[in-house]
Amino acid sequence: TQPSVSGTNPMARSSHSAIVYNAKMVVFGGYTGSSNLNDVHVLDLCSPSCLACDAGTWSLANATRWTNCLAGTFSVSESEGCTTCTAGKWSAEASGVCATCPTGTWSLANATQCTNCLAGTSSTAESGSCTTCTAGKWNAEASGVCAICDAGKWSLANATQCTNCLAGTSSTAESEGCTACTAGKWSAEA
């Protein structure tokens, strides 16, 4: 779009000098093709009004253009700076919002992406870290929930699978070990 101008438009020219300062463009001199010019023209780049910075961009006062927010930060429209994404959130460059890390992932503040939880750990959405699966639970891959070991199986904390109880032992669901069958009871290997 062309800016709205008032006053006399400058003649077409080449070999002129121009500078942008304090949201104004100053053009001096030049050559018309047949004669040298020795005039000055000023275009107020904020006239009739300054343009609002879009979400994901920012500017300080007297700016002549916007600056993109860096990845890991965001801004709303008309911002004078960007805000760091909190833990459990992330953003790409020039973002207007921070996205939430999904279940089974995590991020620190200022993140540019979410990281998958390791096997044996879990997380809920918008987590800043993963939590170790407690004894009697397991998780083989990135997910939000540590699964409960069934009866006849057990696990220690941070497990990636449940282990079957040996013959002559048993366990209830969510156990961290197996117990020997008492006299008058028996079990085959689970």
Side-chain angles (χ1 to χ4, degrees), residues 21 55 62 100 118 130 134 167 170 173 175 190:
Y21 180 74
N62 296 321
T100 298
L118 298 175
C130 297
T134 57
S170 68
S175 292

Side-chain angles (χ1 to χ4, degrees), residues 13-98:
R13 63 191 67 213
S14 63
S15 303
H16 57 279
S17 298
I19 185 171
V20 174
Y21 180 74
N22 282 340
K24 292 180 169 72
M25 177 182 276
V26 180
V27 177
F28 171 74
Y31 182 69
T32 65
S34 61
S35 65
N36 289 321
L37 298 170
N38 190 19
D39 57 354
V40 175
H41 293 273
V42 178
L43 175 62
D44 186 347
L45 298 174
C46 284
S47 178
S49 65
C50 293
L51 302 173
C53 290
D54 292 333
T57 66
W58 65 278
S59 72
L60 296 175
N62 296 321
T64 57
R65 65 168 278 133
W66 73 96
T67 302
N68 285 338
C69 289
L70 298 175
T73 67
F74 75 101
S75 73
V76 296
S77 63
E78 298 187 44
S79 291
E80 61 181 61
C82 301
T83 303
T84 298
C85 294
T86 57
K89 296 189 173 213
W90 69 280
S91 75
E93 181 180 353
S95 291
V97 296
C98 293

